[in-house]
Amino acid sequence: MAGASKAVMDSRANLPFVYRQYSPEQLREVLHKMYLIRRFEEGAEECYMRGLIHGTMHLSIGQEASAMGICMPLAEDDQITSTHRGHGHCIAKGAEVSRMFAEFFGKTTGYCKGRGGSMHIADVAKGNLGANGIVAGGIPIAVGAALSAKRMKTGKVVVSFFGDGANNEGAFHEALNMAAIWKLPVIFVCENNGYGMSTSTARSTAVKNIAERAAAYSMPGVIVNGNIFSEVAEASFKAVERARAGEGPTLIESKTYRHRGHSKSDRNRYRTKEEIEDWMANRDPIALFETELRDFGFIDDQGIQAIRDAVAKEIADGIEFAKASPAPDIAALADYVYTEHA
Amino acid sequence: MDAVVRELSYAQAIQEAMAIAMDMDERVFLMGEDIGVYGGAFQVTGDLVERYGSDRVIDTPISELGGAGVAVGAAVTGMRPIFEFQFSDFATLGMEQIVNQAAKMRFMLGGEVSVPLVMRFPAGSGTGAAAQHSQSLEAWLGHVPGLKVIQPATPHDAKGMLLAAVADPDPVMIFEHKLLYKMKGHVPEGHYTVPIGKAEIRREGRDLTIVATSIMVQKALDAAAVLEGEGIDIEVIDLRTIRPLDRQAVIDSVKKTSRLLCVYEAVKTLGIGAEVSALVAESEAFDYLDAPIVRLGGAETPIPYNPDLEKATVPQVPDIITAARDLVKGVR
């Protein structure tokens, strides 16, 4: 990456990969985005509680380093498929929170013009082919997007995000097999937050680590601490290089934790308060990254406060934008079912 | 003027359409199980792999769900896949991607993507393949907004509708009756399209409208030829598309004949016959009816193996003759 002088580079020689690979500005922007994801979801949750947003939502609070780390080495025209817990992926790939809020409010200015909501949030212009309400639904689609990239020689890489629950769906296995036999430029990212709704991976999954599934499809299987941004980004960087070089897919298991319940109906009866509090107090990905940035001299308290203030304003402005945006016309109900012929 | 009318089989017509589509557009490619050197279970792809290479005629693993999903993903990112299910029954394995993804993606994303995907489904009974390789599931997919569902009944339409499907920006599901693959008929050379959503009057008549789909069109025409000798004049409408339905063609015909018989191979209840009957009952054509609407559809059973039992599960020409005669003569 441009920007870092030789003297600065030498001073970073012993730091983890990302601190050598990316400029301080880029890394501070990562912290900004992680805060943006956190505050966006907190804002969405509050709007839901106040009855401003209907339906349901699946919050990824606690998983921000995973979304940001995976997307760090991606170019703007690289593509992702996402999950029902996909707000973080969407922001990490470059979406604007104002249009995301507008979507949650069901407004025409939303990314899906109010037709998709939280569970189908997408930003096709930035390469996000969409969140998906079907567990593992996006995995074969990502393989198809990678087939397009290979056939059309676009050089694009495709990332498929999914959760631990998806690794027991047939689509996961069929998709990984095809990506491997055709050596497609796709990266499978399992964000293992320990529970498929209420069922723990220990109760649902025959292997201890989901990354072990990679061996069955002759691809590298990598385990990272999903709450440490630098670890996730380094693994993603290597997988992206491998994919772009035409060497085929990688399975990354990003071990993480969601602070909130599965969805808004969750009473958290399958895990203990102590477990949740332990993750929140000791392994919060934003706190961990902030501490690293500060310890390595990439940011000071004033800089952190500036980021927090900027994010607070973006969130407030985004909610105002959503509130002020027009609702869809009922007469337009059938729009977008089919492609209107010009 | 052609001295000799060129004839092709239904299967050859489809193959020719796929070749033309690949010649015209680099983005078009074929995917499916054993469609390469094997030539497809029904030899529809034939030797296309030799002409277009294994990058454009892709043998998939036996992974209908994953394969369908790959086709969806390729379609939304700029390619034009034609995906062959080896048997239409295997649509059951790919339903998630067809129904939840392909059909809804454009809508869910507020029009930000199109899904220009063609899926081909060899369908129907009559081959002795028993209950899991003989079904007619087109009405399942016809129930899903976002999909287009067609059933070409002639070699001419098989080619022209496939070329229309490839040019269509939305997912088009093509149900091809396996017994039609060997049917021969006139197929023009070169590129032409037959519009999706338009029914075709195969035979004009005054006494009764038969609305038929797929292989039942020919059976209805055979029955009409017999009844012509009895002075009964039957109009046969080939529905061709079951979503979107050509309502006006049905309504206009029933207003003319005042009688309606629906003939289709799929299980009778909750099928295309119910839809066609209801659209007439809900329209101005209802006032023109001189007799109750009659449906002839498949039996309420799985398709059996024994050939006599198998024939008995779906309408045959004598069944159509009897039903049509009774309808016109007022026999209840």
Side-chain angles (χ1 to χ4, degrees):
Chain A
M1 277 291 152
S5 72
K6 190 172 180 303
V8 172
M9 290 306 292
D10 288 346
S11 71
R12 297 196 222 160
N14 293 323
L15 297 184
F17 170 81
V18 294
Y19 298 96
R20 289 176 273 124
Q21 183 65 28
Y22 298 106
S23 71
E25 291 74 24
Q26 286 175 304
L27 294 169
R28 285 192 288 268
E29 179 57 20
V30 170
L31 183 66
H32 174 202
K33 285 281 193 72
M34 284 169 72
Y35 267 113
L36 196 60
I37 296 169
R38 176 74 56 95
R39 299 286 179 255
F40 172 82
E41 293 202 303
E42 288 171 348
E45 186 178 41
E46 195 198 328
C47 290
Y48 177 87
M49 296 302 188
R50 290 169 55 200
L52 296 169
I53 294 174
H54 82 150
T56 190
M57 63 180 68
H58 306 83
L59 300 173
S60 67
I61 291 173
Q63 303 185 181
E64 295 88 349
S66 186
M68 283 307 302
I70 293 296
C71 290
M72 192 69 195
L74 296 182
E76 182 162 310
D77 64 351
D78 288 331
Q79 292 166 318
I80 66 168
T81 64
S82 174
T83 72
H84 58 288
R85 203 173 306 286
H87 311 153
H89 310 145
C90 199
I91 293 171
K93 195 66 181 70
E96 294 167 22
V97 292
S98 56
R99 292 193 61 198
M100 290 177 69
F101 275 123
E103 185 58 33
F104 289 24
F105 278 67
K107 300 297 183 70
T108 56
T109 52
Y111 275 108
C112 308
K113 303 186 182 72
R115 271 69 171 180
S118 159
M119 216 160 5
H120 305 299
I121 195 78
D123 180 6
V124 178
K126 289 280 169 67
N128 181 358
L129 298 174
N132 210 305
I134 305 295
V135 171
I139 308 178
I141 293 173
V143 175
L147 182 68
S148 286
K150 187 171 182 176
R151 283 272 312 137
M152 298 195 288
K153 299 185 171 61
T154 59
K156 289 181 192 176
V157 166
V158 187
V159 167
S160 182
F161 285 103
F162 50 91
D164 44 285
N167 102 98
N168 294 317
E169 289 275 15
F172 165 87
H173 296 271
E174 294 185 20
L176 264 68
N177 182 57
M178 279 184 277
I181 58 174
W182 296 329
K183 280 202 165 189
L184 297 178
V186 57
I187 299 156
F188 301 103
V189 178
C190 179
E191 296 186 311
N192 181 353
N193 61 25
Y195 299 89
M197 205 155 160
S198 71
T199 308
S200 68
T201 51
R203 291 170 59 217
S204 68
T205 303
V207 288
K208 187 162 183 293
N209 300 298
I210 289 161
E212 293 167 26
R213 302 277 202 207
Y217 304 107
S218 298
M219 69 177 76
V222 183
I223 300 172
V224 294
N225 182 332
N227 284 20
I228 298 180
F229 168 77
S230 57
E231 263 198 44
V232 182
E234 183 171 0
S236 181
F237 189 91
K238 285 179 185 162
V240 169
E241 276 198 322
R242 176 181 149 82
R244 258 200 248 286
E247 291 163 19
T250 301
L251 171 60
I252 297 173
E253 179 181 4
S254 176
K255 288 185 187 287
T256 184
Y257 196 81
R258 57 168 156 78
H259 294 177
R260 298 295 198 272
H262 162 73
S263 68
K264 304 315 297 177
S265 66
D266 191 334
R267 291 176 296 165
N268 267 323
R269 296 175 107 185
Y270 51 89
R271 51 185 195 175
T272 62
K273 209 174 155 208
E274 290 71 31
E275 177 185 298
I276 299 168
E277 281 170 358
D278 175 47
W279 279 88
M280 289 174 72
N282 302 314
R283 273 161 282 173
D284 185 305
I286 298 180
L288 293 175
F289 184 53
E290 205 172 82
T291 302
E292 276 193 355
L293 279 180
R294 198 177 0 218
D295 289 353
F296 297 154
F298 284 70
I299 201 165
D300 55 19
D301 287 349
Q302 203 180 350
I304 291 169
Q305 194 53 49
I307 286 174
R308 290 176 183 169
D309 292 345
V311 166
K313 181 167 177 358
E314 280 179 78
I315 297 302
D317 290 351
I319 291 172
E320 282 313 306
F321 171 81
K323 283 182 180 169
S325 290
D329 186 352
I330 301 295
L333 171 64
D335 284 3
Y336 318 122
V337 178
Y338 295 100
T339 305
E340 291 79 15
H341 292 273
Chain B
M1 296 292 283
D2 288 351
V4 182
V5 173
R6 190 180 76 126
E7 288 208 332
L8 290 182
S9 74
Y10 188 101
Q12 288 169 328
I14 295 167
Q15 186 184 119
E16 186 170 278
M18 293 193 292
I20 290 170
M22 285 197 283
D23 287 338
M24 286 176 63
D25 189 342
E26 186 62 30
R27 300 170 301 174
V28 176
F29 71 100
L30 316 182
M31 280 180 76
E33 293 163 5
D34 308 296
I35 65 167
V37 289
Y38 195 96
F42 299 97
Q43 292 302 313
V44 177
T45 44
D47 67 352
L48 289 177
V49 70
E50 285 158 38
R51 292 155 61 191
Y52 294 91
S54 56
D55 280 350
R56 295 187 79 188
V57 182
I58 301 175
D59 274 326
T60 69
I62 302 175
S63 300
E64 288 83 3
L65 171 60
V70 170
V72 173
V76 295
T77 52
M79 299 292 285
R80 295 257 172 183
I82 302 176
F83 186 88
E84 177 180 300
F85 279 88
Q86 194 161 77
F87 286 79
S88 70
D89 311 72
F90 306 163
T92 53
L93 293 151
M95 281 304 250
E96 195 286 293
Q97 285 291 331
I98 299 169
V99 174
N100 294 321
Q101 314 293 343
K104 296 174 175 56
M105 206 160 166
R106 177 175 177 76
F107 185 82
M108 293 190 300
L109 270 56
E112 292 296 313
V113 294
S114 287
V115 188
L117 166 67
V118 176
M119 288 181 157
R120 298 181 36 249
F121 301 88
S125 68
T127 65
Q132 296 171 338
H133 290 72
S134 303
Q135 296 169 87
S136 299
L137 301 177
E138 58 276 358
W140 284 26
L141 299 186
H143 195 64
V144 182
L147 301 179
K148 297 181 179 179
V149 183
I150 63 176
Q151 290 184 281
T154 66
H156 175 277
D157 284 1
K159 178 177 170 183
M161 294 189 89
L162 194 144
L163 286 168
V166 172
D168 199 289
D170 297 315
V172 181
M173 311 286 116
I174 309 179
F175 283 79
E176 304 161 355
H177 200 292
K178 286 166 283 190
L179 295 186
L180 291 176
Y181 281 137
K182 292 201 166 93
M183 174 198 208
K184 289 216 161 193
H186 172 52
V187 177
E189 304 215 31
H191 181 270
Y192 67 92
T193 58
V194 171
I196 292 165
K198 287 277 174 232
E200 175 81 357
I201 299 172
R202 293 290 176 199
R203 185 187 198 281
E204 294 203 33
R206 288 172 288 110
D207 299 330
L208 165 70
T209 297
I210 297 181
V211 173
T213 56
S214 189
I215 196 169
M216 291 300 155
V217 174
Q218 189 54 48
K219 290 186 180 180
L221 289 169
D222 292 348
V226 171
L227 290 169
E228 189 178 6
E230 300 178 17
I232 296 174
D233 189 17
I234 293 176
E235 179 144 307
V236 176
I237 293 184
D238 175 359
L239 209 49
R240 299 204 291 200
T241 300
I242 67 168
R243 175 178 280 273
L245 213 47
D246 188 348
R247 293 167 188 275
Q248 201 57 49
V250 176
I251 291 167
D252 290 346
S253 179
V254 172
K255 281 167 74 175
K256 184 171 74 170
T257 66
S258 301
R259 294 181 181 84
L260 174 62
L261 172 64
C262 303
V263 188
Y264 51 107
E265 175 163 328
V267 170
K268 181 177 165 183
T269 48
L270 297 165
I272 189 66
E275 189 58 41
V276 171
S277 304
L279 86 86
V280 168
E282 288 172 339
S283 77
E284 74 268 23
F286 179 73
D287 289 332
Y288 292 76
L289 285 174
D290 286 341
I293 297 166
V294 174
R295 290 178 292 159
L296 271 186
E300 307 294 322
T301 68
I303 304 290
Y305 165 67
N306 174 286
D308 293 328
L309 291 177
E310 184 182 22
K311 277 202 186 81
T313 51
V314 299
Q316 303 296 339
V317 175
D319 303 319
I320 302 170
I321 291 171
T322 303
R325 188 192 287 130
D326 289 354
L327 237 178
V328 173
K329 296 198 168 167
V331 179
R332 298 290 307 272

